[in-house]
């Protein structure tokens, strides 16, 4: 084979290798982008990824020095051998280690210090719970806190709570992501996660369920939550049924229009589906 032929073969082989490598890179990027937000958020449940706060205990390892422990004081600092107090509140243990490394270098104690800081007993992480729960507020969380744990701390959900709530979590860029979670352990929701752990700064929002109102000749007028694919007949049954004076054939539904404060009144059949905000009225029988 001539020298020119060998060069051609070499360029062809290089071209094929470059194409394969490019395709592989594109596929890997696509797979990374396809990871769901919940999976990415769950990865940050690692305590070492959480920012330190007042009251947290940490372990400090400096190669060549005895191990030490410290806690984040009210001023947001930890006490480090040789260099004294170092501010760490609001940064992760890894970032705190980098800050201690710099202080040891700047102080002339080490040329190339090797520092590791580990959160051993985080106590400052809190998540907020708002909406349809017995007690709204901020509650302590750890990497093992589940939806059930946090809702139990809030006293449980109200009867008017929706089946699906939302965890509001800020990403590294400060953008708030909304992740649907199941807050009704009796009913599963395909669109909501049931396996979720919380980190400090999370906000669990439990919205109200879709409601309908029923009045007139029923046993227990009032407002009730709408069950999946609930019919008018089921709504009437939920309100205790029609009284002796009422008529199943004289049922009206007052339904919201797109414009605020505007409704339209419909003659309802018992098999019609109930919509959020419907006002069902069972009238008296004419005979």
């Amino acid at each position: 084979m001539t020298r020119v032929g060998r060069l051609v073969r070499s360029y062809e082989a290089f071209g094929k290798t470059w194409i394969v490598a490019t395709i592989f890179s594109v596929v890997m990027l696509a797979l990374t982008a396809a990871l769901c937000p919940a999976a990415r958020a769950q990865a940050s449940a690692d305590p070492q990824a959480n920012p330190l706060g007042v009251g947290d205990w940490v372990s400090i390892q400096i190669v060549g020095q005895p191990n030490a422990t410290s806690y984040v004081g009210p001023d947001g600092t930890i006490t480090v051998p040789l260099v004294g107090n170092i501010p760490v509140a609001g940064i992760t243990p890894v970032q705190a280690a980098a800050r201690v490394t710099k202080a040891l270098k700047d102080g002339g104690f080490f040329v190339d210090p090797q520092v590791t800081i580990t959160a051993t007993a985080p106590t400052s992480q809190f998540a907020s719970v708002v909406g349809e729960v017995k007690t709204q507020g901020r509650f302590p969380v750890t990497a093992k806190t589940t939806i059930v744990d946090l809702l139990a701390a809030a006293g449980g959900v109200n009867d008017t709570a929706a089946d699906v709530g939302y965890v509001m979590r800020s990403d590294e860029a400060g953008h708030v992501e909304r992740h649907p979670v199941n807050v009704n352990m009796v009913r599963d929701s395909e669109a909501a996660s049931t396996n979720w752990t919380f980190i400090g700064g999370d906000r669990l929002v439990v919205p109200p369920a879709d409601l309908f109102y029923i009045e007139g000749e029923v046993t227990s007028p009032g407002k009730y939550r709408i069950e999946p694919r609930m019919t008018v007949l089921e709504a009437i049954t939920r309100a205790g049924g029609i009284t002796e004076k009422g008529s199943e054939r004289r049922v009206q539904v007052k339904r919201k229009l797109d414009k605020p404060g505007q409704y339209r009144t419909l003659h309802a059949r018992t098999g019609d589906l109930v919509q959020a905000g419907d006002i069902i009225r069972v009238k008296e029988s004419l005979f």
Side-chain angles (χ1 to χ4, degrees), residues 79-190:
T79 302
V80 181
L82 301 177
V83 293
N85 292 344
I86 300 294
V88 297
I91 62 176
T92 66
V94 173
Q95 293 169 324
R99 189 168 288 183
V100 171
T101 298
K102 183 177 185 304
L104 289 169
K105 277 186 179 181
D106 293 347
F109 298 101
F110 293 92
V111 175
D112 186 22
Q114 304 297 312
V115 180
T116 301
I117 292 181
T118 307
T120 56
T123 60
S124 64
Q125 303 301 312
F126 288 85
S128 301
V129 184
V130 297
E132 296 296 317
V133 292
K134 302 297 183 186
T135 305
Q136 302 186 67
R138 297 173 69 245
F139 302 92
V141 294
T142 70
K144 295 183 179 180
T145 300
T146 65
I147 299 168
V148 174
D149 296 332
L150 191 55
L151 288 176
V157 298
N158 297 330
D159 293 338
T160 54
D163 295 336
V164 176
Y166 299 93
V167 174
M168 315 300 287
R169 177 176 292 179
S170 299
D171 61 17
E172 294 179 356
H175 301 124
V176 178
E177 296 180 341
R178 189 177 80 156
H179 308 281
V181 293
N182 185 19
V183 296
N184 188 331
M185 299 301 115
V186 177
R187 286 191 292 268
D188 290 332
S189 173
E190 294 180 0

Side-chain angles (χ1 to χ4, degrees), residues 33-113:
L35 288 174
C36 67
R40 294 197 305 270
Q42 290 291 69
S44 63
D46 179 2
Q48 299 308 110
N50 295 335
L52 295 168
V54 174
D56 286 350
W57 282 88
V58 297
S59 172
I60 306 169
Q61 295 94 38
I62 303 172
V63 174
Q65 294 290 315
N67 291 346
T69 58
S70 183
Y71 74 98
V72 183
D75 60 352
T77 67
I78 56 174
T79 302
V80 181
L82 301 177
V83 293
N85 292 344
I86 300 294
V88 297
I91 62 176
T92 66
V94 173
Q95 293 169 324
R99 189 168 288 183
V100 171
T101 298
K102 183 177 185 304
L104 289 169
K105 277 186 179 181
D106 293 347
F109 298 101
F110 293 92
V111 175
D112 186 22

